[in-house]
Amino acid sequence: MMETIFREVARCSFCGFCEHSCPTLKRSIRHYGPRGRVQTILFALKYDILTEKSIEAIYTCLVCNACSIHCPGKIRIASVVREFRKALRDGKIKKGDKILEEVM
Amino acid sequence: MQKEASVREELFEKLKAVVGEENISRDEAVLRVYSYDVSPYKGQPEIVVRPSNASEISEIVKLANEYRIPVVPRGAGSGAAGGAVPVSGGIVVELTRMNRILEIDIKNLQVVVEPGVVHANLNRELAKYGFFFPVDPGSSEMATIGGLISNGGSGMRSVKYGVTRDYVMELEVVLPSGKIVTMGSKAPKSASGYDLVRLFVGAEGTLGIVTKARLKILPLPKSRALVLSAFDDLEKAGKAVVNTFSAGLVPSGIEILDRTAIEAVKKYNPEIDIPLVEALLLFEVDGTPRGVKEEVETIKEVCEKSGAVKIDVATSKERFDQLWSARAMVGAATTALNPDCVRVYEAEDVTVPISNVPRMLLKIREIGEKYGMNIVTFGHIGSGNLHPALVINVLDESEWDKLWKISEEIQTSAIELGGTTTGEHGVGIARAKYMEREHGEALEVMRTIKRALDPNNIMNPGKMAL
Ligand SMILES: Cc1cc2nc3c(=O)[nH]c(=O)nc-3n(C[C@H](O)[C@H](O)[C@H](O)COP(=O)(O)OP(=O)(O)OC[C@H]3O[C@@H](n4cnc5c(N)ncnc54)[C@H](O)[C@@H]3O)c2cc1C
Ligand code: SF4
Ligand code: SF4
């Protein structure tokens, strides 16, 4: 599962097309948008960067899917967030893990 | 620029006192989210602040000067040059909280906005009055006015309406010293003094932070139409554009999609009905209904004479929107062409004299063939601006090597064809290495201005080869 998540987020081209549709971004805190969440997941998997704030960013997502339809890379943003949450809950992702090494 | 821990702590506390606890962060994960824009360049800040007014920004900049730490302004991070990427670390000043439209002055054809206003929001508001801010970037729903001004942006309608530079009347700027200065004039024209407004448009945050802008606006055209002309030869399409201008017409926009781009659009959304040919031109005309009708006829005539194989006029709103959205999506749609590949925004903004556009298109195709990459190309042919899309597997290092080589060849060709590496996206880090070639001695003048205004080099260092 982690590999699927990683491959999906690694496809982000940073274009930002997803951003304007996100209701949580309207609160004008950048990392709470879809691009920020996709990157946050990538940072967790690739560089083991996982903090209280990044977990908060993941959990404030409404998984409403308003963003995904705008993604030219067809990244399933809301699904990835959901799967990432599940991985967090199941203890599959913890700070200190070398997740990417296990994934690749 | 790593500061000692205690000094950094002191700076953090002082910044916190300026913007408030909820508007400052140094959380490792949050900082990462400010380490990128749309370009492939990365750099992590030490602190992110989100001020709400010019005097807070002034305090921040003064502290940065005192502590000799870089300050990097950031709008939406939709820039494609790495301009908002803190390559030397430091403080990112995010401006999206300053998102108010302060004044809509219809009788004087102007608006006053804070820098964090999103472009599309401004135009939605102005539409209520029957007016618009004519610069129209493809990133309208994301880009902030501050970012648009600082990158010297423009868009599809620049043929008739010009670029951001043409619409900025007055700017309030926090200089690197922390001083808040207003430059420009409220009058429709002014011949007084150095044109500092134009110096700050396109300065990419290297000379100060824009905190307020007075912009010119125009009444919305009553009517618009789109002519779609298909050509079996790139040169012919290029000629049609030149012939259009020679016929005395100035369409609001002229866009080109070459075969690669048409294929990308068709693959991304098969419902979009456009012919698969060597080149498609999209002409947009606007004005009074009668004027539009006349111009459409003239464009049809010109295109026929220039050898178009098919001409189609979009009058229904549905078709109009479908075609424009196809054009807006094409660049990003390239990512969807291959599930292993992603578009990397690099060499994506070359601009050449209009008559050289067909040669530039052929050159890009040639470079693509040489390296075995299918480069999708489209752009604002009416203003010579092309957006080649390079698509690679980002997890494969060897593909990156190829990408850098292709990028260099495309950008060098643009300069050789009498053009520039950037028509609207800015220099940032992405195109810094071409500054010397593009500007020669004039680069030294820019450096002199930079040193005079920012002696400690705190404002967005590492950008524009300054
Ligand atoms: C899909 C897509 C389509 C695009 N289409 C277009 C287009 O058609 N035309 C076009 O021109 N651009 C286009 N762009 C590029 C980009 O959207 C523009 O450059 C935009 O103006 C950047 O605005 P921003 O708010 O995202 O700025 P950012 O990326 O955050 O910043 C851009 C630069 O401005 C500086 N800056 C930002 N705010 C301020 C301020 N208040 N004071 C001083 N400096 C500041 C930053 O330091 C940085 O150097 C496109 C980008 C994408 C992803
Ligand atoms: S799914 Fe999450 S990230 Fe996407 S728009 Fe909804 S809240 Fe925003
Ligand atoms: S639209 Fe898709 S590719 Fe673009 S920034 Fe959002 S998630 Fe990434």
Side-chain angles (χ1 to χ4, degrees):
Chain A
M1 183 173 92
M2 301 314 274
E3 179 165 357
T4 331
I5 298 182
F6 175 72
R7 292 208 175 273
E8 188 100 17
V9 291
R11 286 175 47 67
C12 175
S13 66
F14 296 89
C15 68
F17 271 115
C18 51
E19 302 263 273
H20 74 274
S21 56
C22 179
T24 66
L25 197 67
K26 303 248 157 41
R27 302 191 333 206
S28 80
I29 300 174
R30 278 293 147 199
H31 52 283
Y32 285 159
R35 178 171 68 166
R37 290 189 176 105
V38 165
Q39 290 306 317
T40 296
I41 292 174
L42 186 72
F43 297 143
L45 296 179
K46 198 169 175 183
Y47 305 110
D48 186 32
I49 294 169
L50 194 63
T51 67
E52 213 175 285
K53 287 278 174 208
S54 69
I55 292 173
E56 186 184 314
I58 295 303
Y59 273 92
T60 48
C61 174
L62 309 172
V63 289
C64 63
N65 237 335
C67 50
S68 315
I69 51 166
H70 297 286
C71 177
K74 304 200 168 155
I75 297 174
R76 302 168 297 116
I77 303 167
S79 313
V80 172
V81 167
R82 206 177 288 120
E83 283 157 25
F84 187 78
R85 281 184 193 169
K86 182 161 176 0
L88 281 173
R89 255 196 328 270
D90 296 348
K92 291 209 178 105
I93 300 173
K94 284 194 299 291
K95 195 160 168 58
D97 287 351
K98 294 271 174 287
I99 299 160
L100 190 65
E101 282 167 24
E102 291 158 27
V103 162
M104 295 301 282
Chain B
M1 212 183 275
Q2 293 293 320
K3 296 268 162 196
E4 265 178 62
S6 66
V7 179
R8 272 220 305 275
E9 197 57 38
E10 189 184 282
L11 172 65
F12 186 83
E13 288 306 320
K14 287 185 182 170
L15 287 168
K16 190 158 88 182
V18 175
V19 292
E21 194 164 4
E22 64 281 16
N23 294 311
I24 185 166
S25 183
R26 56 178 162 178
D27 178 277
E28 200 190 356
V30 171
L31 294 179
R32 281 279 176 163
V33 178
Y34 292 87
S35 67
Y36 56 77
D37 61 2
V38 178
S39 76
Y41 304 91
K42 311 277 180 270
Q44 193 163 319
E46 292 171 48
I47 301 168
V48 174
V49 290
R50 292 186 295 267
S52 66
N53 58 52
S55 51
E56 282 180 14
I57 294 175
S58 164
E59 291 305 313
I60 294 163
V61 173
K62 280 183 195 151
L63 282 169
N65 244 321
E66 186 186 327
Y67 286 82
R68 298 284 196 275
I69 181 172
V71 178
V72 183
R74 183 180 178 95
S78 80
V85 175
V87 273
S88 317
I91 308 165
V92 162
V93 178
E94 203 221 76
L95 295 148
T96 55
R97 280 181 73 214
M98 295 175 67
N99 61 358
R100 289 176 306 161
I101 299 172
L102 299 171
E103 193 188 331
I104 297 184
D105 182 0
I106 298 292
K107 61 180 186 303
N108 285 310
L109 296 174
Q110 45 190 256
V111 288
V112 181
V113 298
E114 288 187 324
V117 170
V118 171
H119 177 271
N121 290 345
L122 174 62
N123 268 341
R124 270 190 283 268
E125 200 51 39
L126 289 174
K128 295 178 187 165
Y129 301 82
F131 281 75
F132 77 134
F133 172 61
V135 178
D136 65 332
S139 50
S140 168
E141 293 283 358
M142 327 165 220
T144 65
I145 298 295
L148 207 52
I149 290 172
S150 303
N151 266 356
S154 52
M156 304 208 251
R157 299 199 170 104
S158 61
V159 180
K160 177 169 174 179
Y161 291 104
V163 298
T164 301
R165 213 166 240 117
D166 305 319
Y167 291 87
V168 187
M169 304 177 72
E170 200 178 59
L171 287 177
E172 179 189 89
V173 177
V174 175
L175 294 178
S177 61
K179 210 176 191 126
I180 306 174
V181 174
T182 300
M183 47 192 75
S185 169
K186 291 183 186 57
K189 59 183 198 179
S190 161
S192 172
Y194 285 160
D195 193 345
L196 294 181
V197 168
R198 281 188 164 228
L199 174 62
F200 277 80
V201 176
E204 301 187 15
T206 61
L207 297 179
I209 302 186
V210 173
T211 47
K212 206 193 283 181
R214 182 179 299 274
L215 308 171
K216 231 183 265 182
I217 55 172
L218 290 176
L220 274 166
K222 298 212 165 26
S223 175
R224 277 185 181 136
L226 209 55
V227 183
L228 182 79
S229 306
F231 295 86
D232 54 13
D233 178 282
L234 277 174
E235 294 275 351
K236 282 186 194 157
K239 289 252 165 59
V241 172
V242 177
N243 293 344
T244 305
F245 290 128
S246 310
L249 278 186
V250 185
S252 42
I254 313 177
E255 295 290 304
I256 185 164
L257 303 185
D258 83 349
R259 175 177 281 272
T260 56
I262 303 166
E263 279 168 352
V265 169
K266 284 182 161 293
K267 208 159 174 180
Y268 187 71
N269 183 355
E271 280 172 22
I272 292 180
D273 175 27
I274 47 174
L276 184 57
V277 286
E278 280 307 302
L280 263 185
L281 290 181
L282 280 168
F283 294 84
E284 191 202 65
V285 287
D286 68 2
T288 61
R290 224 176 86 200
V292 165
K293 225 175 184 166
E294 268 172 31
E295 290 192 13
V296 165
E297 287 312 313
T298 317
I299 289 173
K300 275 165 69 178
E301 258 168 53
V302 169
C303 287
E304 261 161 32
K305 279 197 196 136
S306 314
V309 291
K310 190 167 184 269
I311 300 175
D312 173 18
V313 181
T315 36
S316 79
K317 179 163 172 13
E318 207 181 13
R319 177 81 173 139
F320 190 96
D321 289 350
Q322 191 198 40
L323 290 174
W324 256 163
S325 83
R327 162 59 192 89
M329 278 312 273
V330 55
T334 51
T335 287
L337 290 178
N338 177 339
D340 292 325
C341 289
V342 177
R343 174 175 185 197
V344 178
Y345 289 79
E346 178 67 25
E348 84 300 339
D349 197 28
V350 285
T351 304
V352 295
I354 297 168
S355 59
N356 274 343
V357 169
R359 282 169 73 190
M360 189 68 220
L361 285 165
L362 290 172
K363 189 77 206 170
I364 294 168
R365 204 173 283 184
E366 230 174 82
I367 295 168
E369 275 159 16
K370 174 171 159 195
Y371 288 94
M373 183 185 290
N374 183 21
I375 304 176
V376 175
T377 309
F378 54 95
H380 318 302
I381 186 171
S383 51
N385 194 182
L386 295 175
H387 297 315
L390 310 184
V391 183
I392 62 165
N393 179 345
V394 289
L395 301 176
D396 181 345
E397 279 306 320
S398 68
E399 296 237 330
W400 280 100
D401 285 346
K402 197 161 83 177
L403 177 112
W404 298 127
K405 287 192 187 124
I406 293 176
S407 164
E408 173 128 20
E409 286 197 24
I410 293 178
Q411 305 198 83
T412 308
S413 306
I415 299 175
E416 282 164 2
L417 286 172
T420 167
T421 53
T422 176
E424 57 186 23
H425 293 174
V427 176
I429 315 159
R431 290 167 271 270
K433 68 173 172 185
Y434 302 101
M435 283 293 280
E436 190 116 30
R437 257 190 96 176
E438 283 197 34
H439 299 284
E441 292 286 312
L443 177 58
E444 204 38 54
V445 178
M446 295 185 211
R447 286 179 175 148
T448 308
I449 294 171
K450 167 73 172 170
R451 277 195 298 270
L453 286 176
D454 184 15
N456 296 324
N457 195 23
I458 57 157
M459 283 308 308
N460 210 356
K463 308 292 162 66
M464 287 169 70
L466 294 169

